[in-house]
């Protein structure tokens, strides 16, 4: 725990200037907050006050946002509610998934922390108080969030697949098995027919209907099997065409 008197004393003895918090699971308590008042800096991967909480990058992708930002901020007692020091907005590409966005935000975030530390006095004077009325909060990602509902529109399902590629991975039910989807693309040339398997061959891959179109599955993983591109999978395995997938 970072909230013990022993730990705080150890930091005091080191005569440190700042504490930097990145993806840290513990809440910072009063002992640290009082001893290092306005010297605890947090790096948060969202455009605060949007997406406070545990999974900002996943929800950026789930909601199809076109921009985000690594934000450096002062830590206070609230959840990601401290004053903003630096916020550099960046584009979220339609082809970004969680891994590519995490890598992008990691690179930009390290630069943001360095700049914040080297220019702290100037940034502190010009710090921006968050508007709590505009705050949104994310929840912890659960396994159930990966379950694809084909009644949703294509863009929502595509976002679900790319947002949850790390955990739990988006999945659908096929003959009693949970099949994970790792890569996909949106097809607009199909009429909405949710859950219907339009195609299942090595030429077209697997095409499944949604509320307003279809999704082509380009990479998948069956239980107990390694992840494969769909074309390779279909060369050695059958997948039924012309059926409706289980709910």
């Amino acid at each position: 725990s970072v909230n013990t008197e022993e730990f705080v004393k150890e930091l005091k003895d080191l005569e440190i200037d700042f504490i930097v918090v990145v993806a840290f699971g513990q809440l910072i308590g009063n002992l640290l907050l009082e001893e290092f008042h306005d010297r605890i800096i947090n790096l948060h991967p969202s455009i605060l006050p949007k997406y406070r909480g545990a999974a900002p990058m996943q929800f950026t992708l789930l909601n199809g946002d076109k921009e985000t930002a690594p934000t450096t901020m002062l830590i206070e007692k609230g959840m990601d509610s401290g004053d903003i020091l630096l916020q550099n907005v960046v584009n979220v590409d339609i082809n970004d998934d969680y891994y590519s966005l995490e890598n992008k935000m990691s690179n930009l975030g390290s630069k943001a922390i360095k700049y914040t530390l080297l220019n702290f006095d100037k940034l502190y004077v010009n710090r921006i108080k968050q508007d709590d009325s505009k705050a949104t909060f994310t929840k912890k990602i659960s396994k159930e969030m990966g379950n694809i509902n084909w009644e949703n529109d294509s863009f929502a399902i595509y976002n679900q697949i790319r947002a949850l590629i790390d955990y739990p991975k988006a999945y659908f039910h096929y003959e009693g098995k949970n099949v994970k989807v790792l890569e996909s693309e949106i097809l607009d040339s199909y009429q909405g027919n949710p859950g219907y398997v339009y195609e299942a061959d090595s030429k077209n891959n697997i095409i499944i209907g949604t509320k307003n179109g279809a999704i082509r599955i380009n990479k998948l993983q069956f239980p107990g099997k390694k992840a494969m591109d769909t074309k390779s999978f279909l060369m050695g395995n059958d997948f039924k065409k012309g059926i409706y997938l289980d709910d």
Side-chain angles (χ1 to χ4, degrees), residues 3 21 61 99 111 126 133 144 165 187:
N3 295 309
V21 178
L61 294 168
Y99 292 136
K111 295 175 182 177
N126 295 291
S133 69
E144 291 71 27
I165 185 67
L187 300 178

Side-chain angles (χ1 to χ4, degrees), residues 16-81:
I16 64 172
D17 297 304
F18 296 99
I19 297 172
V20 176
V21 178
V22 182
F24 190 58
Q26 296 183 39
L27 290 176
I28 306 298
N30 286 334
L31 279 174
L32 270 177
L33 289 173
E34 292 172 4
E35 188 61 43
F36 295 93
H37 178 67
D38 284 355
R39 289 298 185 272
I40 307 178
I41 301 169
N42 182 39
L43 175 66
H44 187 79
S46 81
I47 305 178
L48 291 171
K50 192 175 185 179
Y51 301 145
R52 295 177 181 176
M57 287 187 287
Q58 289 95 329
F59 277 87
T60 294
L61 294 168
L62 280 170
N63 292 328
D65 291 356
K66 295 182 179 180
E67 61 182 22
T68 186
T71 300
T72 60
M73 52 171 287
L74 298 174
I75 281 189
E76 60 176 27
K77 290 188 69 173
M79 172 68 74
D80 299 322
S81 58

Side-chain angles (χ1 to χ4, degrees), residues 33 48-49 52 55 57 71 81 93 119 123-124 135-137 139 150 156 163 182 187 213 225 230 235 246:
L33 289 173
L48 291 171
R52 295 177 181 176
M57 287 187 287
T71 300
S81 58
D93 190 83
N119 299 274
L123 295 174
Y124 183 79
T136 62
F137 294 85
K139 59 183 179 181
W150 298 106
L182 309 180
L187 300 178
K225 305 293 184 181
T230 310
M235 286 181 177
D246 301 332

Side-chain angles (χ1 to χ4, degrees), residues 161 172 179-185 197 199-208 215-222 226-240:
I161 292 166
F172 63 88
V179 182
K180 297 175 181 177
V181 183
L182 309 180
E183 291 181 13
S184 68
E185 62 182 288
V197 181
E199 301 288 348
D201 58 65
S202 58
K203 178 180 178 181
N204 294 307
N205 294 343
I206 296 172
I207 298 175
I208 301 172
I215 288 284
R216 187 200 309 273
I217 298 174
N218 295 330
K219 190 174 183 179
L220 48 67
Q221 184 175 14
F222 269 73
K226 67 178 182 179
M228 300 178 67
D229 66 85
T230 310
K231 181 178 180 179
S232 298
F233 170 82
L234 290 170
M235 286 181 177
N237 300 273
D238 292 327
F239 195 99
K240 293 179 181 178

Side-chain angles (χ1 to χ4, degrees), residues 48-219:
L48 291 171
K50 192 175 185 179
Y51 301 145
R52 295 177 181 176
M57 287 187 287
Q58 289 95 329
F59 277 87
T60 294
L61 294 168
L62 280 170
N63 292 328
D65 291 356
K66 295 182 179 180
E67 61 182 22
T68 186
T71 300
T72 60
M73 52 171 287
L74 298 174
I75 281 189
E76 60 176 27
K77 290 188 69 173
M79 172 68 74
D80 299 322
S81 58
D83 292 350
I84 294 169
L85 298 170
L86 181 68
Q87 194 170 68
N88 293 326
V89 176
V90 296
N91 292 329
V92 180
D93 190 83
I94 188 64
N95 295 317
D96 274 326
D97 61 15
Y98 176 79
Y99 292 136
S100 64
L101 184 60
E102 181 185 46
N103 185 60
K104 182 186 297 185
M105 296 295 279
S106 176
N107 290 331
L108 295 170
S110 63
K111 295 175 182 177
I113 283 291
K114 181 178 180 180
Y115 185 89
T116 298
L117 293 174
L118 294 176
N119 299 274
F120 180 80
D121 291 342
K122 179 179 70 175
L123 295 174
Y124 183 79
V125 168
N126 295 291
R127 66 192 185 277
I128 300 171
K129 185 175 180 60
Q130 293 191 47
D131 185 348
D132 291 340
S133 69
K134 296 181 179 179
T136 62
F137 294 85
T138 66
K139 59 183 179 181
K140 187 176 180 181
I141 300 297
S142 66
K143 182 178 179 181
E144 291 71 27
M145 290 175 66
N147 189 11
I148 295 174
N149 180 357
W150 298 106
E151 296 283 349
N152 290 333
D153 65 53
S154 298
F155 191 51
I157 294 171
Y158 174 78
N159 289 337
Q160 181 183 9
I161 292 166
R162 64 187 183 131
L164 305 180
I165 185 67
D166 180 57
Y167 175 83
K169 295 182 173 56
Y171 61 90
F172 63 88
H173 305 290
Y174 175 76
E175 295 188 336
K177 301 181 179 69
N178 287 350
V179 182
K180 297 175 181 177
V181 183
L182 309 180
E183 291 181 13
S184 68
E185 62 182 288
I186 296 172
L187 300 178
D188 296 324
S189 55
Y190 289 79
Q191 293 183 343
N193 196 359
Y196 182 73
V197 181
Y198 282 103
E199 301 288 348
D201 58 65
S202 58
K203 178 180 178 181
N204 294 307
N205 294 343
I206 296 172
I207 298 175
I208 301 172
T210 68
K211 177 182 178 180
N212 64 337
I215 288 284
R216 187 200 309 273
I217 298 174
N218 295 330
K219 190 174 183 179

